[in-house]
Amino acid sequence: MNKTDAALKEKINNAKAGNQIAFSSLLDTFWNYVYHFQLDRTKNENDAEDITIQTFSKAFDKIKTYDDSYEFKTWLIAISKNIHIDLIRKRKRNVLDELGNSSADAVKKVLDESPTVEDQLITEQNLATLLSDIKKLKPHYQEVINLRYFNELTYAAIAKELNEPVNNVKVKLLRAKKLLAEIIKGK
């Protein structure tokens, strides 16, 4: 066994013990190898990158099952091949499912109701403005608004979080909304 093999074996053993630095080092060492292997297979950079990410994720989840009588690279490639095969099967299944539906259903699937890039930009700008307005409130009002509308907690959960009665939370939230509305109207 040469020095490189010993260093690799040590990294693998450290990764098996849960050492994040060892995981990171293994990822850095073998990323290009797995990525280029998948790029040759898929001929698609996005698919190759997705499969490579999934490969390392799965490998690190299952690293304790790695048998060091095999090359680590070979083990990673086996995982990568299986993920690629699963992806192909899933895509074939999706195509077959789509072909099996009526044309009306196919048209519905084509229509995309998700927001456009422009819609997302407008929403983000409005959210940024709103967050800036919320920051003008006193800290306890900011907190109750954040818990209710951004963390989506119930009144009871907010009461528990703040260690206050539910009625106090309701009043604080009403007051915070009223003050926020005044700030927005004052612009």
Side-chain angles (χ1 to χ4, degrees), residues 6-175:
L8 178 60
K9 191 170 185 172
E10 184 180 348
K11 284 181 194 175
I12 293 168
N13 287 334
N14 287 342
K16 282 182 175 182
N19 182 317
Q20 293 298 315
I21 295 170
F23 282 131
S24 180
S25 178
L26 289 171
L27 181 111
D28 290 343
T29 303
F30 294 102
W31 175 271
N32 286 337
Y33 182 77
V34 175
Y35 174 77
H36 288 293
F37 173 79
Q38 280 303 330
L39 191 57
D40 288 343
R41 287 176 67 108
T42 63
K43 309 290 187 232
N44 181 305
E45 291 178 1
N46 291 328
D47 285 347
E49 189 172 340
D50 288 345
I51 293 169
T52 304
I53 290 167
Q54 290 175 39
T55 299
F56 281 98
S57 175
K58 191 168 196 169
F60 293 153
D61 284 345
K62 305 287 184 191
I63 195 151
K64 290 184 180 182
T65 66
Y66 168 69
D67 179 358
D68 60 4
S69 63
Y70 299 98
E71 288 242 6
F72 191 71
K73 266 197 253 188
T74 307
W75 185 67
L76 286 172
I77 292 302
I79 292 170
S80 187
K81 281 181 185 176
N82 290 335
I83 290 171
H84 183 229
I85 290 167
D86 290 345
L87 178 69
I88 292 169
R89 286 181 185 150
K90 183 179 177 184
R91 286 181 178 167
K92 281 183 181 176
R93 197 170 40 246
N94 288 344
V95 168
L96 292 174
D97 287 347
E98 286 180 20
L99 292 175
N101 293 333
S102 69
S103 60
D105 288 341
V107 170
K108 286 180 185 172
K109 285 185 178 182
V110 170
L111 295 175
D112 185 5
E113 295 179 12
S114 61
T116 64
V117 175
E118 292 83 7
D119 292 338
Q120 289 175 334
L121 185 62
I122 290 168
T123 301
E124 287 171 12
Q125 287 176 343
N126 289 340
L127 183 59
T129 303
L130 179 62
L131 289 172
S132 134
D133 291 340
I134 290 172
K135 287 183 180 176
K136 294 175 184 172
L137 295 172
K138 291 184 178 177
H140 59 277
Y141 290 137
Q142 289 179 30
E143 184 177 30
V144 77
I145 289 217
N146 285 329
L147 291 172
R148 180 68 177 155
Y149 297 106
F150 294 99
N151 296 349
E152 298 178 354
L153 296 182
T154 62
Y155 290 117
I158 295 170
K160 187 176 180 183
E161 176 83 18
L162 299 177
N163 198 23
E164 292 183 14
V166 174
N167 287 339
N168 285 12
V169 169
K170 288 180 180 178
V171 170
K172 241 187 214 180
L173 194 55
L174 284 172
R175 180 74 179 138

